[in-house]
Amino acid sequence: MMEENSKWFENTVFYEIYVPSFCDSNGDGIGDLPGVESKIDYLKEMGVGAVWLTPFYPSPLVDNGYDVSDYFAVHERYGTIADFDRLLEAAHNAGIRVIVDMVLNHTSTGHEWFLKSCENQEKYRDYYIWREKIPNNWESFFDGSAWEYNEGRHMYYYHAFSREQACLNWSNPAILEECKEILRFWLDKGVDGFRLDVINFLKTDKAAFTRDNPCEDGSQKHIYDKNQKGVREAVAELSAFVHTYPDKFLLGEIGDDDLQTIQSYTGCGLLDAAFNFNLGSMEKWDEAYLAEQVLAMDAAGINPTLFFSSHDMRRQFSRLCGENVEAAKLLALFLLTAKGIPFLYQGEEIPLADTRIKSSRDLQDAQGRYAYEKLLLLGKTEEEALRYAKERARDYARGLIDWKLHREEEGSLKELYQGLLMLRREHEALRTGKYGNIALNGHLFYFERIGRQEKIAVTIDFSLTGMISEGPGGSTVLLEIMGGNGCTGLVERLA
Ligand code: GLC
Ligand code: CA
């Protein structure tokens, strides 16, 4: 069924698993690797082709595991290396590939490299970015200055995220070698690829540190602390290494909305695909914006990742659908028929709504907690601090899924996901076909996918109330989605 000259990941629908909250196997309230293994049949039945596992490595968990203290092991709360091996085998036996998250921009300050660097041990002296004086105005993405004083070394180190996540110094060639060893370990285990965390933030250019970031409307614009000269070269080295193993997929998270910038990290020996936020992170539902981005990405030659949710965002069901299942169906229809690589987020098929943040105790995420503490220090009331922190917090999509609560009903959203996944598997035009006409008429979004054998048209009525008039004569209806007052989505075979 698969084409000879397209790669497996271009034909695959991925499913993001946020390990701490996906499935808890031992009742301690925390998701774990055996829990993931127990859901392999569920994922297979749904038709998912690959999973992305977020970090499960040993970590002080300041940023929920994106602060790694040992890249060669499994955090005990998620299981053991043997559990990982079993999960990988079970997934592969079910025909599901596995990519793992790799955090190579920074390590936890609990990592032994950092501890040795603080002691100024020769080998580790330049593993991180140290300065006698704070050289610039750069702010961390989580809170305040990106420079933190270290009592041991009597110097400042750089951290783009929390102060417990020290950035590695990619100007030091030793870092690339260390990172290759990490990748080798997981490749030898048989993983099918990696998702490289915040990869365009690597610090590869010493000269950039002499430039202050500009400020706009009272907040800092991140200009010189990302996309530095040298990042592409580092990505090319990582890519060349990963691809010494056949058939691996290298996905990189690109924190930038500029389409040329996103595009510049992919193809030609770089990333196989970029995890790009320009489409998926829209704050409110806006089909005009959706159509505009689809056209612009196509014109820029980007084969995008398609998603509306991740562990860093509010859930699409609450954020974009007003918790209306009919709307959720239309989003699924778009995600699974548009051009790109779909990344479903755990639970969107149920559908799950945002976890509510009722008090400061519900603020688990570092970004939300810092915001809360900062406002209290500035003399704001707890209520005001919570209101502000709620906008910054990333806890909404991280609640533990209670699978017992979600029994299947006929005509359920999950069934639609399953049907759409099957449709995508069966039609090459939907997987890798190029776009034909794309048009937005009022709330009606129409696009064509042109494959080698057939042409498929998708019409989605985002008004939720309309009747889609019949398509051109002679077409075959592949799928109809009935909404409130009639048909709100249609996939037709034109030729
Ligand atoms: C990525 C992760 C996010 C994390 C950040 C720093 O954006 O998705 O959860 O906080 O990197 O590692
Ligand atoms: Ca558990």
Side-chain angles (χ1 to χ4, degrees):
M1 192 170 25
M2 213 160 272
E3 299 69 53
E4 276 156 28
N5 51 6
S6 69
K7 310 218 169 81
W8 68 263
F9 47 82
E10 293 166 340
N11 287 280
T12 297
V13 174
F14 286 75
Y15 187 94
E16 179 190 353
I17 293 183
Y18 190 67
V19 179
S21 65
F22 181 56
C23 183
D24 175 20
S25 73
N26 58 357
D28 64 357
I30 300 162
D32 45 53
L33 296 181
V36 178
E37 190 189 334
S38 73
K39 297 302 285 181
I40 291 291
D41 286 346
Y42 169 89
L43 296 170
K44 183 180 178 180
E45 189 190 294
M46 198 170 131
V48 163
V51 295
W52 148 28
L53 299 178
T54 61
F56 48 80
Y57 318 103
S59 158
L61 303 172
V62 171
D63 185 17
N64 253 328
Y66 283 92
D67 47 325
V68 181
S69 55
D70 178 359
Y71 290 86
F72 300 96
V74 171
H75 194 298
E76 58 186 12
R77 72 178 196 159
Y78 304 132
T80 61
I81 277 280
D83 290 328
F84 179 84
D85 292 337
R86 262 192 300 275
L87 160 60
L88 189 62
E89 198 186 341
H92 284 168
N93 287 342
I96 294 176
R97 290 182 164 94
V98 178
I99 67 166
V100 296
D101 223 313
M102 234 350 119
V103 192
L104 304 179
N105 175 69
H106 46 268
T107 73
S108 161
T109 49
H111 194 288
E112 61 160 334
W113 298 341
F114 188 76
L115 301 175
K116 290 177 176 167
S117 196
C118 291
E119 288 168 6
N120 217 353
Q121 285 190 24
E122 198 182 333
K123 177 171 176 206
Y124 299 97
R125 189 166 292 151
D126 291 328
Y127 267 41
Y128 297 85
I129 299 151
W130 293 98
R131 294 289 185 276
E132 302 277 350
K133 292 201 183 88
I134 296 179
N136 55 38
N137 71 344
W138 296 1
E139 284 175 6
S140 95
F141 288 87
F142 286 174
D143 173 49
S145 171
W147 296 93
E148 185 75 11
Y149 189 70
N150 177 264
E151 299 283 351
R153 190 151 160 185
H154 303 294
M155 287 174 95
Y156 294 87
Y157 66 90
Y158 177 74
H159 62 91
F161 297 91
S162 79
R163 59 187 76 94
E164 294 87 354
Q165 290 165 297
C167 281
L168 287 163
N169 173 17
W170 277 82
S171 302
N172 179 353
I175 297 303
L176 174 65
E177 295 313 312
E178 295 278 14
C179 289
K180 283 188 194 164
E181 286 316 306
I182 296 167
L183 298 173
R184 188 197 309 282
F185 177 80
W186 295 98
L187 286 164
D188 286 345
K189 287 209 161 292
V191 302
D192 299 285
F194 301 99
R195 178 256 191 195
L196 300 176
D197 189 58
V198 291
I199 201 64
N200 62 320
F201 291 72
L202 294 189
K203 297 299 169 298
T204 46
D205 180 20
K206 285 190 185 139
F209 284 86
T210 56
R211 300 188 194 113
D212 276 349
N213 276 331
C215 284
E216 217 173 69
D217 302 328
S219 64
Q220 181 161 108
K221 282 195 72 126
H222 293 276
I223 303 285
Y224 298 113
D225 51 355
K226 61 179 191 180
N227 303 319
Q228 289 184 353
K229 207 169 111 226
V231 180
R232 276 171 205 85
E233 284 75 1
V235 170
E237 294 277 3
L238 293 169
S239 171
F241 178 74
V242 167
H243 291 111
T244 57
Y245 290 71
D247 247 10
K248 301 299 168 189
F249 176 44
L250 196 60
L251 170 73
E253 182 193 21
I254 302 297
D256 204 301
D257 281 348
D258 180 65
L259 297 182
Q260 300 308 326
T261 306
I262 294 169
Q263 210 266 346
S264 72
Y265 285 104
T266 60
C268 295
L270 296 165
L271 299 170
D272 295 312
F275 200 73
N276 52 298
F277 291 89
N278 57 305
L279 181 86
S281 63
M282 76 170 79
E283 277 299 318
K284 283 206 193 93
W285 182 252
D286 182 347
E287 55 263 4
Y289 178 79
L290 181 83
E292 180 193 301
Q293 290 297 313
V294 165
L295 281 164
M297 289 192 297
D298 200 40
I302 296 175
N303 189 30
T305 42
L306 301 166
F307 62 92
F308 291 113
S309 299
S310 79
H311 65 285
D312 289 329
M313 297 152 76
R314 289 186 53 204
R315 283 188 171 277
Q316 66 206 49
F317 188 51
S318 300
R319 190 175 100 249
L320 304 176
C321 302
E323 306 199 353
N324 172 343
V325 181
E326 301 311 322
K329 288 181 183 169
L330 301 186
L331 259 52
L333 178 57
F334 170 79
L335 285 177
L336 294 164
T337 55
K339 184 176 153 207
I341 307 177
F343 272 79
L344 310 179
Y345 180 61
Q346 61 182 37
E348 74 177 56
E349 72 279 12
I350 290 176
L352 286 183
D354 278 345
T355 303
R356 312 276 175 228
I357 299 180
K358 295 191 211 86
S359 77
S360 58
R361 277 192 306 278
D362 300 326
L363 295 170
Q364 298 289 322
D365 171 45
Q367 187 165 284
R369 272 196 330 266
Y370 289 138
Y372 183 73
E373 281 152 23
K374 182 166 147 192
L375 259 77
L376 288 185
L377 281 176
L378 289 173
K380 302 284 176 194
T381 64
E382 286 181 11
E383 208 184 344
E384 285 167 325
L386 185 64
R387 202 175 321 126
Y388 175 69
K390 276 167 92 165
E391 281 170 31
R392 306 269 300 147
R394 299 173 301 172
D395 295 301
Y396 299 98
R398 299 181 179 183
L400 178 66
I401 303 181
D402 183 350
W403 291 97
K404 287 192 295 296
L405 287 180
H406 306 288
R407 299 245 179 270
E408 224 171 298
E409 287 155 39
E410 192 129 342
S412 68
L413 185 63
K414 153 98 190 298
E415 233 169 58
L416 176 69
Y417 269 85
Q418 202 169 346
L420 282 165
L421 277 152
M422 192 185 290
L423 207 62
R424 199 170 171 104
R425 274 200 307 284
E426 284 171 354
H427 296 274
E428 168 259 337
L430 288 178
R431 294 196 305 277
T432 51
K434 44 184 206 284
Y435 278 126
N437 292 324
I438 302 178
L440 181 71
N441 197 341
H443 295 290
L444 215 63
F445 190 33
Y446 174 89
F447 57 87
E448 293 165 355
R449 304 287 313 276
I450 305 171
R452 281 197 300 255
Q453 320 279 351
E454 55 179 359
K455 181 164 161 186
I456 290 179
V458 179
T459 314
I460 313 177
D461 182 353
F462 284 112
S463 73
L464 280 183
T465 54
M467 286 280 291
I468 294 176
S469 57
E470 268 174 45
S475 69
T476 318
V477 173
L478 298 173
L479 182 101
E480 246 179 294
I481 296 185
M482 304 304 283
N485 286 341
C487 179
T488 47
L490 197 63
V491 184
E492 303 161 277
R493 187 168 159 192
L494 299 183

